[in-house]
Amino acid sequence: MATAAAASASEPEAEPKAGPEVEGEEDEVKAARTRRKVLSRAVAAATYKTMGPAWDQQEEGVSESDGDEEYPTASSASSPGEYEWEYDEEEEKNQLEIERLEEQLSINVYDYNCHVDLIRLLRLEGELTKVRMARQKMSEIFPLTEELWLEWLHDEISMALDGLDREHVYELFERAVKDYICPNIWLEYGQYSVGGIGQKGGLEKVRSVFERALSSVGLHITKGLAIWEAYREFESAIVEAARPMAGFLSPFDWEQTFDSQLEKVHSLFRRQLAIPLYDMEATFAEYEEWSEDPIPESVVQSYNKALQQLERYKPYEEALLEAEAPRLAEYQAYIDFELKVGDPARVQLIFERALVENCLVPDLWIRYSQYLDRQLKVKDLVLSVHGRAVRNCPWTVALWSRYLLAMERHGVDHQVMAATFEKALSAGFIQATDYVEIWQAYLDYLRRRVDFKQDSSKELEELRSAFARALEYLKQEVEERFNESGDPSCMIMQNWARIEARLCNNMQKARELWDSIMTRGNAKYANMWLEYYNLERAHGDTQHCRKALHRAVQCTSDYPEHVCEVLLTMERTEGTLEDWDIAVQKTETRLARVNEQRVKAAEKEAALAQQEEEQAEQRRRARAEKKALKKKKKTRGADKRKADEDDEKEWGDDEEEQPCKRRRVENNVPPAGEAQDLEAETGLFGKSAPVDVTPPSKQKERAAALKRDVPKVLHDSSKDSITVFVSNLPYSMEEPGVKLRPLFEACGEVAEVRPIFSNRGDFRGYCYVEFKEEKAALQALQLDRKVVDGRPMFVSPCVDKSKNPDFKVFRYSTALEKHKLFVSGLPFSCTKEELEEICKAHGTVKDIRLVTNRAGKPKGLAYVEYENESQASQAVMKMDGMTIKENVIKVAISNPPQRKGPEKPEARKGPGGPMAPRQMYGARGKGRTQLSLLPRALQRPSPAAAQAENGPAPKPAGTASAATEAPKMSNADFAKLLLRK
């Protein structure tokens, strides 16, 4: 009977394979009935083992045959033959893939997706032993998800044959419930333990599992109900099984046993009704129906209070139900609410629920561990959370540092601490500074272990050897990988020197360390010398202080005045007259040399600025002369054409005798019909008849007429909020307003599309799109970089640059993004799909952006965004140096340089007075290739520049404003100036 009960109890574990979750009321009812049937059979089996076969004869519903027929064991449903392949080729392909995955894991054991794929293939091949080993290795490195654990547990349950196998399954359940808070795993654990109720201590084991499950997930508003019901149904099944036992026990013993079991069920009902859970009303109605006595008033009050609490929690639960995974913002709001309420159990529960979906968010782990460190301070709980945090996010150095502090705070053995630190070193941080930080945390721990009252100790020697190893590790391992040590200021060496000087009274060692610090490129910084001076001042002697300051005066290049002042101050208070004279001589000599170097540098910079200004002036003059000459030729041509037209009007339409110069135009091949007419009109001597060709003057008039047809609309700045600026459009676009309107109407109702044309009627490549609502304008910004006629269209807010000169829109992040990669060296022919195919082998790719120029041509650069930092770091190690279409690419974590705004021109001071600012050619002060609305040939130098070039000019006898600013000139004035030349 015990075997039958175990077999029947294992059936619910196999049920989730059919579907991930029970949906609908009918499925829930069926699941509840199945659970009750299994529990009642298990309890009946335990009673049979206790009472003997006499009770079994009276209980007709319980038999081994019934259990075996209705509830076959899971092992019969998951035989290896289920995974046999139909074709040998596919089986061979899987074997090759398994070998490849095993080889890849031997190279990089931290490849999460590789572990998952290997387990899946081994399971399909029926390699049960290898599957178990692969899962064991993966669980030692990563915490497994609920799906992976349930799959593993179901396989192990199907293979469990005896008590030893059952104990092994119990151990797996214990490991599973420690990774994440999983109500489904707890429910499986409770139901599986019911199968062992007939063994020694089986009943206590079941109750222990259910009580732990209630402590872990019993407060879960949406999923805690299943645990409560399973536990209550188990105890109710025992009550039902105890009723037929009245004939085998004395009335007193039976009544005492029966009442005790009834009280357990009453207690579970009361405890459940005091907790806010979904569907509480149904539980209360069930309790009323089940209980023979009226429900006590205290239970009703607790139930009403729980209902009120449920109303407070419903908005947060509904927000979680409506949002899409991973719902981090919704969980953060829920956590804030629970922290205000202050119930530690509920705070812990909501953190655990959030981490199930956001296990790769380091900030969430930091916040959770910080709460436990400061509020609960329970050793097992705190260390467990810290350990899970570094297993989920091993690349985050802050989690490792906090883990070491928590272990030290709770008195963990030194050997365990050292082993944890070694794991941290092999975690694969993505920055050199991360290694410096973890070494600092471990060295601080070792320093706190040392009793410095003793001259020498084992802990002190260990600390010194750790400092030496840290320096060697940063020099070899870290610098070789990142091309930098991560510690340019030598902070680890500085701390070592301070410990030797202050705590060990070993100034000789401290001086050696500081000398090594200075030889690593830090001698030019004044603050480093002052640190050394303060250390000598506190723990050394005056002679070494003076020596250090004399060296600092000679070597410092950033703030030599400050170092000289410190030296003079020390000699003024402590030195002799001879020391004072030497200090004054050295400081004066040094400062004179520094000032001389600064003057030379200023003169050199001024000369460069002057040279650039002269070159800019030459370019301006050349452009002005070229433009004036071109305009003069155009004016003469226009006058000549005008005179010819007057002659035509005066002498009649004698066009045959007056050949005119025809303008060459593209696509001047006549159509077929016109070609026949021309052939017919050609004379015997090859002379053609007169053809009606529109002269250039007529074409220009037609373009001007077309331009006049477009009404001029002054820009209304009050509509900037509902207007977007569209640029980088093709100049050849025909009817841009008609073509762009349908594109932007997808964002909202468009009031007007205002393309900008030149004076000749040519489209200038940009326009304004005005919407009816501001919401539509904001949505239109999403069309930025959309390809239109082969060019990426730029869409930006409409902002008056004269009022907001510093306004700049850049849609992409310029900060460090550890989950995003920067790929360079790509072949120009590489498409987004090809790059995605390469990148998705190393993780889940969320987005890929190929960088293009304004014409839409690729630049060989790309940004690849992964789902988390772990996948990005793995992709860097595997893809950096990869060859794609004979191009070797470079891959790194995305960390763009800071985008500097345009520098404002400021007068530079030189030996001869203020110098002119550097000419800023572009409209935004960056380069000559950028568009400026004012021609450079017409740009006048600023007053400061004019004074620097020509010297101070005498002020004319006029008003002050007239002296500083010339009268503004119109376009007609400029035209007259050019025509006079």
Side-chain angles (χ1 to χ4, degrees), residues 337-378:
F337 171 73
E338 291 288 11
L339 288 174
K340 290 181 180 179
V341 175
D343 186 352
R346 301 201 66 90
V347 172
Q348 182 184 351
L349 176 67
I350 191 58
F351 267 117
E352 292 287 352
R353 289 177 60 184
L355 288 169
V356 171
E357 298 183 19
N358 300 276
C359 59
L360 300 179
V361 180
D363 293 339
L364 190 59
W365 283 107
I366 290 175
R367 189 178 183 188
Y368 185 24
S369 59
Q370 185 176 357
Y371 170 78
L372 296 178
D373 287 334
R374 297 178 179 178
Q375 301 295 330
L376 297 186
K377 302 180 181 180
V378 180

Side-chain angles (χ1 to χ4, degrees), residues 760-868:
R760 297 176 57 185
D762 299 328
F763 180 49
R764 302 189 65 176
Y766 62 92
C767 65
Y768 296 88
V769 180
E770 181 182 330
F771 291 90
K772 294 288 187 179
E773 298 178 354
E774 184 177 355
K775 181 179 179 181
L778 295 176
Q779 188 174 353
L781 298 177
Q782 302 298 323
L783 297 177
D784 187 32
R785 294 328 192 258
K786 183 177 180 62
V787 178
V788 176
D789 289 352
R791 293 176 63 90
M793 176 181 66
F794 298 164
V795 183
S796 60
C798 185
V799 177
D800 189 355
K801 292 293 185 67
S802 62
K803 298 180 181 178
N804 300 279
D806 297 332
F807 178 79
K808 179 68 177 176
V809 176
F810 189 70
R811 61 181 294 186
Y812 304 109
S813 173
T814 58
L816 173 66
E817 295 180 285
K818 297 183 179 181
H819 67 289
K820 185 180 291 185
L821 303 184
F822 173 68
V823 185
S824 59
L826 289 169
F828 294 148
S829 60
C830 182
T831 63
K832 181 177 180 181
E833 291 74 17
E834 293 174 346
L835 183 59
E836 183 177 5
E837 187 68 24
I838 297 172
C839 295
K840 72 180 183 180
H842 312 296
T844 304
V845 178
K846 295 181 65 177
D847 183 42
I848 291 182
R849 176 168 65 93
L850 293 178
V851 182
T852 61
N853 57 15
R854 285 179 172 268
K857 304 297 182 182
K859 300 175 68 174
L861 308 175
Y863 289 90
V864 183
E865 182 179 358
Y866 278 93
E867 192 174 35
N868 52 64

Side-chain angles (χ1 to χ4, degrees), residues 712-785:
K712 294 185 178 180
V713 180
L714 296 177
H715 180 70
D716 188 359
S717 59
S718 63
K719 297 183 179 180
D720 285 350
S721 60
I722 59 174
T723 307
V724 295
F725 177 67
V726 184
S727 59
N728 202 42
L729 296 169
Y731 296 125
S732 60
M733 179 181 288
E734 297 180 359
E735 298 183 352
V738 177
K739 188 167 185 178
L740 293 176
R741 179 177 288 271
L743 185 64
F744 284 94
E745 282 181 345
C747 304
E749 186 177 357
V750 176
E752 181 185 10
V753 178
R754 203 161 60 248
I756 306 300
F757 296 90
S758 64
N759 291 331
R760 297 176 57 185
D762 299 328
F763 180 49
R764 302 189 65 176
Y766 62 92
C767 65
Y768 296 88
V769 180
E770 181 182 330
F771 291 90
K772 294 288 187 179
E773 298 178 354
E774 184 177 355
K775 181 179 179 181
L778 295 176
Q779 188 174 353
L781 298 177
Q782 302 298 323
L783 297 177
D784 187 32
R785 294 328 192 258

Side-chain angles (χ1 to χ4, degrees), residues 174 261 268 282 312 324 372 499 528 586 609-610 689-690 763 830 877 883 945 953:
E174 290 295 333
Q261 189 61 35
L268 286 174
R312 297 170 58 192
E324 297 181 357
L372 296 178
I499 290 173
M528 302 296 290
K586 284 193 173 184
Q610 184 71 19
F763 180 49
C830 182
M877 293 186 291
T883 301

Side-chain angles (χ1 to χ4, degrees), residues 581-734:
D581 291 338
I582 294 174
V584 170
Q585 182 181 358
K586 284 193 173 184
T587 54
E588 289 179 351
T589 304
R590 175 60 177 163
L591 292 178
R593 191 183 308 130
V594 169
N595 291 330
E596 182 180 354
Q597 293 174 353
R598 290 175 177 172
V599 169
K600 289 182 179 180
E603 290 177 352
K604 185 177 180 180
E605 185 177 0
L608 290 174
Q610 184 71 19
Q611 184 179 358
E612 291 180 2
E613 183 64 28
E614 291 176 356
Q615 293 176 356
E617 183 64 24
Q618 291 177 1
R619 287 193 295 268
R620 285 197 296 269
R621 290 176 181 174
R623 284 193 294 268
E625 292 175 358
K626 186 177 180 180
K627 189 171 183 180
L629 182 61
K630 187 176 180 181
K631 193 166 186 179
K632 188 175 182 181
K633 290 181 179 180
K634 287 183 178 180
T635 306
R636 291 177 179 176
D639 294 342
K640 186 176 180 180
R641 284 193 297 272
K642 187 175 181 181
D644 292 342
E645 291 174 2
D646 293 341
D647 291 342
E648 290 175 359
K649 293 178 180 179
E650 184 176 352
W651 298 105
D653 298 334
D654 194 8
E655 294 181 357
E656 294 183 1
E657 299 178 2
Q658 300 291 333
C660 63
K661 295 182 180 180
R662 300 178 180 178
R663 181 183 176 186
R664 293 184 179 181
V665 294
E666 295 181 358
N667 302 326
N668 56 356
V669 179
E674 294 184 10
Q676 295 176 359
D677 296 338
L678 288 174
E679 187 176 355
E681 294 175 2
T682 302
L684 296 174
F685 301 100
K687 296 182 179 180
S688 60
V691 181
D692 185 15
V693 178
T694 304
S697 58
K698 299 290 184 180
Q699 294 179 356
K700 199 165 186 179
E701 290 178 3
R702 187 180 301 170
L706 179 64
K707 175 65 179 169
R708 286 193 298 268
D709 292 342
V710 179
K712 294 185 178 180
V713 180
L714 296 177
H715 180 70
D716 188 359
S717 59
S718 63
K719 297 183 179 180
D720 285 350
S721 60
I722 59 174
T723 307
V724 295
F725 177 67
V726 184
S727 59
N728 202 42
L729 296 169
Y731 296 125
S732 60
M733 179 181 288
E734 297 180 359

Side-chain angles (χ1 to χ4, degrees), residues 256-315:
Q256 186 177 6
T257 304
F258 190 77
D259 292 344
S260 175
Q261 189 61 35
L262 279 179
E263 183 60 29
K264 287 184 174 61
V265 180
H266 278 288
S267 176
L268 286 174
F269 268 117
R270 294 166 185 169
R271 289 166 59 188
Q272 180 180 349
L273 291 174
I275 297 173
L277 298 172
Y278 273 3
D279 204 16
M280 292 186 63
E281 296 81 358
T283 304
F284 186 78
E286 184 180 354
Y287 186 30
E288 287 182 324
E289 181 181 355
W290 183 85
S291 178
E292 298 177 356
D293 301 327
I295 299 178
E297 184 64 27
S298 59
V299 176
V300 176
Q301 292 178 359
S302 301
Y303 166 70
N304 293 328
K305 183 178 179 181
L307 284 177
Q308 295 176 1
Q309 293 178 350
L310 181 62
E311 293 300 322
R312 297 170 58 192
Y313 289 114
K314 273 187 176 180

